[in-house]
Each structure stands twice: as structure tokens, then as C-alpha cells.
Amino acid sequence: MNLELKNLHVAYGNVEALHGINLHINMGEIVTILGANGAGKTTTLMSISGLVKPNKGEILFDNQALHSLPSHEIVKRGITQSPEGRRVFGTMSVIENLNLGAFTSQNIKKNTQTLEWIFRLFPRLMERKHQLAGTLSGGEQQMLAIGRALMGNPKILLLDEPSLGLAPILVRSIFSTIKAINDAGVTVILVEQNAKAALKLADRGYVMEVGKIVMEDKASNLLKNPDIQKAYLGGTIK
């Protein structure tokens, strides 16, 4: 079972954002997508989750086409997304936000087990479960956004900029939790401006520039690549 994007083209009106990208994700991996703002990283994730539709090309999961399905059907097949900017529902409580993540599941026992697992991953959410999401700190809202995505019991979790705007100590905590989620059997596709942290966590990485994949390699190799160091890692890594 794997996820494949084949010759994927996506346009917003007359402007093409993805120019025929190809990538594959093997089950059990953490794969990071690197690139500057506007490179097409978020569009790639939104294409996988069905929020934008390709003009051309295919998205295949376990050899079944996803690109023609509505987004809620893609969630049912085991792919969920934690969006950039968190996008929690501020006037709803933490527990209400989490329950929304299970909207495609009728299995109450499984939902309860998943919720208990999320509270083990993020004890802060358990402490704040009746608090309005809009009153949480940025780090807590990020935990909530990831937890809400996990309530769909995904096989693949799409994470878009999970460390954005967070203090370094919270960044370390979030990345440690992503590793724990992966260790529990969830495949992770990670879009992240903190390239160094992402590459240290990931198995493989793709580099995007203006809607194209320009490099693919093991994350450890990308971390040592002088071009990647110069472009994304602030110079040589000692």
C-alpha cells in the first residue's frame, strides 16, 4: 500500500501552481516536502486531501484513484490533514473540535480509544478539554489541530507547517510527538519551514521550486547536501 502522485498539474484559474509533479509515499514513512513560500507545497497537500482538484494527472492510494473523490471520501479512506494556520473552531471547546475530526466514523468505541490516545499524546488538551479553542495558546491550538486530524484514524497524516510561530521548546515537543504518531503506525507527510528539524525527523525528502520537484533523496543525504544547506539550512551544518 502506498500513495502516488503522477504527473500532477493543478491550476488556480489561469495560473498553474503544480507543473506535473511525481512523488510516492511508502506506508510507515515520514516524508518531508521542502521549498520556499509559493513553491507549491501546500497545494500538493491540498490536492492529496481533495481540497483542490488537479487539471491533469493522478493521485493513487493503494492503486485506487483519489483525485476524483470529494474530500470527505478521502478522509474515509484514511488520509487527514492538519492545515497551515491551525484553523481550529475558536468558539467551540477543545473536545467539540476533536469530535468534529471523527465526523466520518460511526464507531463510538474506536473514537473513544482514539481520543484517549490523543490525550496521552497531548496531556494539555486533556487539561483544557472544556476550554474554548480560541482561548488556547498557539502551541495548544497546534496540538488541537493535529489531534483533530488524528480523530479520523488516518493511515496518512498531512501536516502543513506544524511549527509555524511556535517557541523553540514547543517546536521540539511537536516534533517529538510527530515521531510518536509515526511510531504508532501513521505515515506522515510533513510540509515544514524548519527544514533542519524536518530532515532530522524524516526518512526521505522532496524539494520543490515553483511547482516542480527538483530533488528527491534520503533525508540524511539532503541534510548533508551543500545546495540544500545553503538554500534552506542557513549555511553549512556542523
Side-chain angles (χ1 to χ4, degrees), residues 7-62:
N7 190 33
L8 201 72
H9 292 253
V10 173
Y12 297 105
N14 295 323
V15 179
E16 191 168 75
L18 299 182
H19 311 299
I21 66 167
N22 296 281
L23 59 81
H24 69 278
I25 311 291
N26 302 311
M27 289 298 98
E29 288 187 308
I30 298 176
V31 174
T32 188
I33 304 174
L34 305 179
N37 286 337
K41 307 182 303 295
T42 292
T43 298
T44 300
L45 293 191
M46 291 173 69
S47 300
I48 295 168
S49 60
L51 295 172
V52 298
K53 294 300 179 188
N55 301 71
K56 183 180 176 185
E58 295 180 298
I59 303 173
L60 303 174
F61 182 40
D62 196 21

Side-chain angles (χ1 to χ4, degrees), residues 64-116:
Q64 293 185 324
L66 294 185
H67 49 274
S68 58
L69 296 177
S71 53
H72 66 275
E73 288 294 336
I74 292 171
V75 171
K76 285 182 181 178
R77 281 161 173 75
I79 300 176
T80 65
Q81 181 169 355
S82 175
E84 181 181 2
R86 300 146 200 165
R87 298 191 190 177
V88 298
F89 296 96
T91 58
M92 299 173 71
S93 69
V94 167
I95 193 72
E96 287 170 334
N97 270 270
L98 289 171
N99 286 334
L100 279 176
F103 75 100
T104 62
S105 172
Q106 302 300 316
N107 188 330
I108 294 173
K109 182 179 178 182
K110 179 66 176 172
N111 294 348
T112 301
Q113 290 172 340
T114 303
L115 185 62
E116 290 170 353

Side-chain angles (χ1 to χ4, degrees), residues 123-142:
R124 192 76 59 85
L125 295 183
M126 175 67 177
E127 295 167 12
R128 308 246 191 289
K129 66 180 180 180
H130 298 301
Q131 193 169 318
L132 292 181
T135 66
L136 300 178
S137 70
E140 291 163 349
Q141 288 189 12
Q142 187 60 67

